[in-house]
Amino acid sequence: MRIAFFSPHSDPLARPGEPDSGGQCVYEARLAEALAGMGYPVRDYTRLAAGKPVAEAIAPHADIRRFPMGPEGFLRKEEMGPHLAEFSRHVLADDRTWLAETDIFHGHYWDGGVAALEASLALGKPLVFTSHSLGMLKRDGLPDNSLYHYDVRIPAETRVMRAADAVIALSSIEKEALTDRYGIAAENIHIVPGGVEVQKRVPSMSKAEHKAKLGIESDLMVFAVGRLDARKGFLEWIDAMPAVARAVAAAGRSVCFMMPKGPKEPSEEETGLLRRLQQKARELEVEEHIHWFHRLSDDELYHAYCAADLFVCPSLYEPFGLVLVEAMAAGTPVVATCFGGPVDIVEPGRDGFLADPRDNNAWSDAVLKVLLASPAERQALNEAALAKARRYSWDAVATEIGRVYAQTLQAYRRFD
């Protein structure tokens, strides 16, 4: 089987800190690598930007082809709608021979779904779609249509999913939204979670030694990572920090909150959000507890996951939660949003807790259940987190998706 990924905004080889880099990019790169390792060649079609080469290898038998789309420079994914036809036109004209011999077209996110659907119709190939995030759910928390263009996105992703031969959901919560709100037939939806490279995250030293590598001197450290985006819930997390800091101090300990401050060359949107985050931290008098960081190197990220006594994911909605599994692979328990994929990952009281990040009391209480746990309780949480992560290897994920491809291809060939 030969596979084509379509992902205009999410370059699988995007470096951490680049605009729109993040979990989806990692997902595509690792899935492509794992599928190629199983003998399925993969080519990912994405947007040409930032001076990157037109062609680049992800792994043996997995590569990228980049094509022009819209204006030069960074283009927000919310602004890509008017330019998707141009992208599809370039892909179909310049790589038609490779695509004609491909078995499955797999669209990622709504923009990739649109491009994959157009290619599927043009060349008569079966279509698989993974949303990674759903416009209707995002609109529930962030209703500003002028910024997020739901009037374009939601009809587009609805059409793509209704046309797709198979839809991959990252969680049972996502499947429920697909059936209840988008009207997608349940039998057409396959739940396959994201994955993680477990062996690369396992701690090699004690948490204290990993803290020392990062220059962290506090007794306890809480780690959060992600793009500077209002959807990630960092403002809500800062709202809960005073209660956490007070309770930890009352227990005779010190705490550090590791918080992202975005890339060194931020966008206007990122600059504005960072200003709000830092202003709120000063107003709530928790600035002294916060260790702000720009993009972490792979080595620093590894040490941060391993050093953390707790990882937090305060997103207002999280489709899956790859960072949770990465933290668990380092033996670090998590407190995560109760909205979206984390509900399928976290077993409350065993490897972490779930809470509403908009409820300061509920969120701070969940955080303190981990930070103020007894040594025996914390050890049990750490061990359970590591055990949970082992269920999410990329080989396991690729095997499941390979089965979806095979079933889809078999059903599609009945029409030949």
Side-chain angles (χ1 to χ4, degrees), residues 62-200:
D63 61 14
I64 289 175
R65 289 295 186 276
R66 300 183 176 97
F67 292 93
M69 176 180 167
E72 293 185 7
F74 175 61
L75 179 65
R76 293 176 66 246
K77 58 180 176 286
E78 292 85 2
E79 305 292 341
M80 287 190 173
H83 307 289
L84 288 171
E86 176 193 1
F87 179 79
S88 297
R89 187 166 60 250
H90 282 297
V91 171
L92 288 168
D94 296 348
D95 216 24
R96 197 178 191 92
T97 300
W98 199 93
L99 287 167
E101 298 176 0
T102 298
D103 298 288
I104 295 283
F105 290 174
H106 189 162
H108 294 271
Y109 202 71
W110 78 270
D111 57 334
V114 170
L117 175 57
E118 186 165 349
S120 169
L121 294 172
L123 296 175
K125 303 291 182 178
L127 171 65
V128 174
F129 177 68
T130 304
S131 71
H132 296 277
S133 169
L134 292 170
M136 286 191 187
L137 299 185
K138 179 177 174 181
R139 185 179 61 186
D140 291 347
L142 297 164
D144 185 355
N145 183 68
S146 65
L147 183 62
Y148 298 113
H149 300 292
Y150 299 118
D151 56 336
V152 174
R153 173 181 175 173
I154 291 173
E157 66 187 1
T158 302
R159 292 187 184 104
V160 169
M161 288 188 286
R162 291 180 179 176
D165 299 282
V167 176
I168 294 174
L170 297 173
S171 67
S172 59
I173 297 291
E174 184 178 338
K175 180 176 180 177
E176 183 178 331
L178 290 172
T179 56
D180 293 352
R181 303 189 65 174
Y182 284 86
I184 309 304
E187 60 270 21
N188 207 34
I189 303 170
H190 307 261
I191 300 176
V192 185
V196 67
E197 297 173 277
V198 176
Q199 294 306 316
K200 290 188 177 183

Side-chain angles (χ1 to χ4, degrees), residues 330-348:
T332 298
V334 303
V335 168
T337 179
C338 58
F339 302 114
V343 173
D344 281 349
I345 300 171
V346 181
E347 189 175 343

